[in-house]
């Protein structure tokens, strides 16, 4: 139902909630020797497009649809007794996904959309490809 106090109209999707998300995870562990194990793991996640606010596209600067994206993460490691070491790669494909967006203007203001209909604002993008090493003791 309409919720005027929130700027929501019947049929609006909830802000920042994709219609579909999915993930596939896999892991394999094996023994290298007495007390030493190794593992590899990976994951793929998909996030469907989502809106940043309630409203009407093109009339509410805050109501923007952010595109869908997917990420791939990989990890491999060894554990011997209380010591562990692993290498990892997050966002392997270096996807530049938009995670959030805040408009700096609205139609009719000095910060209105450009001729192409694009609103200016600030955004948070997904962390770029990250490679690392973890060493632990427990």
């Amino acid at each position: 139902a309409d919720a005027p106090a929130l700027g929501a109209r019947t049929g609006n999707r909830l802000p920042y909630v994709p219609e579909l998300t999915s993930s596939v995870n896999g892991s394999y562990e094996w023994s290298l020797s007495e007390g030493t194990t190794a593992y590899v793991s990976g994951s793929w996640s998909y996030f469907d497009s989502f809106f940043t606010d309630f409203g009407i596209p093109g009339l509410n600067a805050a109501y923007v649809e952010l595109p869908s994206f997917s990420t791939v993460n990989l990890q491999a490691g060894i554990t011997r007794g209380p010591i562990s070491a692993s290498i990892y790669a997050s966002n392997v494909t270096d996807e530049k996904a938009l995670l959030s967006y805040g408009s700096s203007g609205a139609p009719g203001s000095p910060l209105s959309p450009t001729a192409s209909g694009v609103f200016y604002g600030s955004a948070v993008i997904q962390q770029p490809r990250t490679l690392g090493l973890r060493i632990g003791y427990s």
Side-chain angles (χ1 to χ4, degrees), residues 67-113:
S68 62
F69 64 95
S70 61
T71 60
V72 175
N73 300 310
L74 301 172
Q75 184 170 322
I78 296 174
T79 301
R80 180 168 177 82
I83 299 171
S84 63
S86 65
I87 57 173
Y88 67 90
S90 299
N91 191 11
V92 172
T93 59
D94 203 23
E95 181 81 24
K96 306 236 181 331
L98 288 171
L99 303 179
S100 70
Y101 169 79
S103 174
S104 294
S109 76
L111 300 173
S112 63

Side-chain angles (χ1 to χ4, degrees), residues 23-29 39-45 73-76:
S23 67
V24 176
N25 303 292
S27 183
Y28 180 73
E29 183 176 311
Y39 71 92
V40 293
S41 64
S43 67
W44 169 84
S45 299
N73 300 310
L74 301 172
Q75 184 170 322

